[in-house]
Structure formats: structure tokens, C-alpha cells
Amino acid sequence: MHLAPDPELAAFRQEVRAFIAANLPAAVRRTLERGGRADRAELTAWTRTLHARGWAVPHWPQRWGGTGWDPLRLMIFRDEIQRFPAPETLSFGTSMLGPVLYTFGSEAQQQRFLPRIATLEDWWCQGFSEPGAGSDLASLTTRAVREGEAYILDGQKAWTSYAQYADWMFLLARTDKTATKQRGISFLLVDLRSPGITIQPTRTIDGGAEVNEVFFDSVRVPAANLVGEEHRGWDYAKFLLAHERSGHARVGLAKLRLRLVREAAGDLLADPGFHRRLVALEAEVKALEMTQLRVVSEERRVATGASDPVASILKIRGSELQQAAAALWLEAAGPDAQRWTENDDGSDAASAWLNLRKLSIYGGSNEIQRTIIAKTVLGL
Ligand SMILES: Cc1cc2nc3c(=O)[nH]c(=O)nc-3n(C[C@H](O)[C@H](O)[C@H](O)COP(=O)(O)OP(=O)(O)OC[C@H]3O[C@@H](n4cnc5c(N)ncnc54)[C@H](O)[C@@H]3O)c2cc1C
């Protein structure tokens, strides 16, 4: 790998950094610097600021508002957003559904939904997991039965992040009970204001309510909201999950968390044992950054839309390092960590430590990622 600094990329990084510095409200930056999250109004305003600059959906095709940047520029952009820190756009629309729609959606679906994702006019959530279908997603039992020009939807989703804010959900439902597990699934777009939908918060270990159960009782979904072909939803879901995984290294966030540790540590930095562990973690984050750079450089040679199993390595390491940084933050906070307030925005050491357990579970658990590496990279 050639690591000599490229002046054009350095200038690009500077341009992104300067734009964020000039346009992100200081209050939002402060919230994120504490480890907290932007609220809906702040995220919407920031998404529109990015959109006005042409940067809300940089990875999309130019026809739909993308920038045409190569993978290295996309990586630098994401890294700068995370480390500044500035809010990332809502991934359910921009990183998950968007690519599915511009690849497999009808022209009418693309025209209707893509521009509204790019400006966060519509808040999307992801309805894949169910009580009996997480890692083994193809076991899902929510069913959609075709009746004339609509599907009638019955069943339940679980762990739906931010469904309480969402306008729409993209989901997987079984449309053919007789087919093999993966074959009879379809990908539907559901307006959450439809009659028959109940959303119930699930209280998590940090005391927050970022995830929900969503129940469907004879919900009418227009047949025009089927994405691609009926019964082929599994293929679209696999495509989407490959997209989701490639963003999971989150090196910028690991850097931010280590900054929080340094700030909280104070006198502890003079303790050789603590200092050694902090520096070792910083070196690990640097190593992940190098690995990410190698993977992203090679991405240029991977056909668009093809899944890249090496991304599983980034997901595992990225989640482990963020969790390790959160553990050090907890240690640095010492007795202060006991004064935490129950919340799910990770804005203090204790709630962050608890909340970040999720990183090795969602987006395909780390055990599942290891199996992918074993099979597809190591050939075991
Ligand atoms: C905070 C949070 C937010 C989430 N948001 C969403 C969302 O917005 N939308 C959505 O659809 N889902 C969401 N999920 C669900 C998430 O995708 C699932 O939790 C995940 O896929 C794991 O499924 P499960 O919880 O059913 O656990 P299980 O699949 O039951 O796994 C339990 C344990 O067994 C291990 N395991 C399972 N199968 C294997 C295997 N074959 N080999 C080795 N080990 C295995 C797992 O790694 C895990 O440790 C979210 C989850 C969390 C925690």
C-alpha cells in the first residue's frame, strides 16, 4: 500500500473540515463531543445544510444527488464528519434504503422517495428483525397476503431503532409460505400512519428507548409499495446489509471516544498502567484506519453492489475498539460514573458503556461476521 500523502486528498480533507467548521451549529458539536446525539430537528437542519452543498448523499449516483467521489474521498468525508464531530445522516434512508431503491426500485418509487430521503423529509426505519428472527433473519414470520391492489400485513417486528420518530418503514414480509425460507420473502415500503400499526418502546439496559416493537394488524399496503419483484426480497436485503456493513469501521468515532477518554482522565494520564492502555488503544485505532484504507482502496476493484466480506473485519474491529474506548472512559470517570442518568444518548461514561454493547450485536453480530470471514476470506 502506498501511504505517501496525496496533496489532492489532503486539500479535499481540508475543504470538508472547513465546511463543517463554518456550518455546524456549535451547540450540536458540543452535544456530540459529550458523546450525545443530535435530536430530530438538529439532524434535519444539518442534513439540509449538507444537501444545499450537494453532500447529503455523496455515495449515491449523481442522477440522484451523489457527488461522483471515489471510495477514498467518501471515506475521508465520513471520517471528517465523525471526528469533528458532526451528525451522520440517517443511515436507514441514506445508506440502506436509498441504494436499494436506486438499484431495484421502480421509476415511480425512485422519483417519490429518493429526494425526500436526501433532505430527511421522510424518516425511515428498518423492519427486518423479529422476536424469532435476528441472526437467522430468513425465519421471519410477518406475512403479507396479496388482496387485489394491496397486501394485507400481519405480524411483529422487534428492535426497530427510532420507530417512534419514523414516517415510513422498509420491511421484509413472507409472501409465499410454501417456498423455501429465503425464497418467499418480499421487500415492502410501509407508511407508519396506516391504520393497524402499534409501536411500543423497548426499554434498554441504559434506561433508554431507542428501540421498539412494531405490531401489524391487517395493515393495508398498496401493491405499488413492493420493491422489485415479489418473493425476491431476500436478494435486496442481502444487498442492503452489505451496504450497511461497509460503514461499520467508524474510525472517526473511535478517535472521538479516545479524545473523551483523554479529557476525562486528568491525573490518571500520569499513571503508567492507564497511560499504556490508552496509547495501545490509540495504536489499535490507527491500525484499523490503515486496514480500512487498504479495504477502501481495493473497493475500487469490487463491482458496484457486490458484497465485500473483508468489510466484516472492519465491523468486528471497529465495534471492539469503540467498546474498549468506552470501558476506558468508564474507568477514567471513576466514582463519577455512578452519577449517570438513564438515557440512550451515550452522553456519560456509564450510559455509553452500556449502550455500546449494541455495536457487536446489530448489523450482523460479531459471531456472524466471524463466520463470514471464516467461510469467504479464509476458505474454511
Ligand atoms: C440497539 C439495537 C438496535 C437495533 N436496530 C434494529 C433495527 O433498526 N432494525 C432491525 O431490523 N433490527 C435491529 N436490531 C436487531 C439486530 O439486528 C439483532 O439483534 C441481531 O441481528 C441479532 O439477532 P437477535 O437479537 O435475535 O439475537 P440472536 O440471533 O438470537 O443471537 C443471540 C446470540 O447468539 C449468537 N448466534 C446466533 N446465531 C449464531 C450462529 N449461527 N453462529 C454463532 N453465533 C450465533 C449471536 O451472535 C448472539 O450472540 C437492533 C438491535 C439492537 C441491539
Side-chain angles (χ1 to χ4, degrees), residues 329-331 333-340 348-351:
W329 190 20
L330 192 69
E331 199 177 320
D336 282 350
Q338 292 179 18
R339 286 205 301 264
W340 68 293
D348 59 58
S351 64

Side-chain angles (χ1 to χ4, degrees), residues 126 128-129 134-135 159-161 211 358 361-362 365 367-368:
Q126 178 191 21
F128 280 14
S129 307
S135 303
W159 306 113
T160 317
S161 296
V211 288
K358 68 188 178 188
I361 301 172
Y362 66 24
S365 76
E367 288 76 21
I368 298 296

Side-chain angles (χ1 to χ4, degrees), residues 181-253:
K181 256 165 81 175
Q182 284 86 352
R183 282 281 132 222
I185 291 173
S186 296
F187 194 110
L188 295 172
L189 309 176
V190 179
D191 184 342
L192 289 179
R193 284 159 305 197
S194 313
I197 297 180
T198 309
I199 300 175
Q200 273 178 12
T202 302
R203 201 167 146 85
T204 44
I205 192 171
D206 51 10
E210 79 183 70
V211 288
N212 301 269
E213 290 182 292
V214 182
F215 299 88
F216 303 94
D217 182 7
S218 299
V219 175
R220 235 182 115 74
V221 180
N225 291 4
L226 169 75
V227 175
E229 290 174 39
E230 194 178 48
H231 311 320
R232 294 261 331 258
W234 188 251
D235 296 339
Y236 313 139
K238 273 197 333 202
F239 171 90
L240 175 153
L241 291 170
H243 268 268
E244 185 187 6
R245 264 199 283 274
S246 63
H248 272 313
R250 318 200 74 157
V251 173
L253 287 182

